Amino acid sequence: MVKNFEHYVAWTDAMTYESGYAGLIGYQRKAIDGAAYILWVLGPNLKSESDAEQSAEIMLDQIADINRFGRVVYVDGVML
């Protein structure tokens, strides 16, 4: 899944992690040489790569914005 914001683009992925899997949300500024950042989506029931990516997609869907300062803002107003 890919989601565009005004200043950033974000995407989901998954990878093996310890004895299971982790979902990943990557995001990068829409500028030349913008650094990429990763949010980990961890859970005890992620037993396959597709489960992990689906969890990351659900989390990405809950992101309302990534502002120009790189702060992640969720739909409920929580800001990282």
Side-chain angles (χ1 to χ4, degrees):
M1 173 181 196
V2 175
K3 189 172 181 179
N4 282 294
F5 300 96
E6 184 177 355
H7 301 284
Y8 283 80
V9 62
W11 64 92
T12 59
D13 201 353
M15 63 180 264
T16 58
Y17 175 73
E18 294 181 356
S19 62
Y21 294 87
L24 304 171
I25 298 173
Y27 62 101
Q28 185 172 22
R29 183 177 268 288
K30 292 179 179 179
I32 297 173
D33 298 329
Y37 300 92
I38 302 293
L39 299 173
W40 290 67
V41 181
L42 302 174
N45 298 323
L46 302 179
K47 301 297 182 195
S48 71
E49 192 172 329
S50 63
D51 287 344
E53 185 153 8
Q54 183 179 17
S55 293
E57 289 174 358
I58 291 167
M59 274 302 247
L60 179 54
D61 195 46
Q62 294 299 307
I63 295 175
D65 190 25
I66 302 174
N67 68 25
R68 63 186 176 138
F69 303 109
R71 302 284 309 265
V72 176
V73 183
Y74 286 89
V75 294
D76 63 1
V78 172
M79 186 182 299
L80 301 179

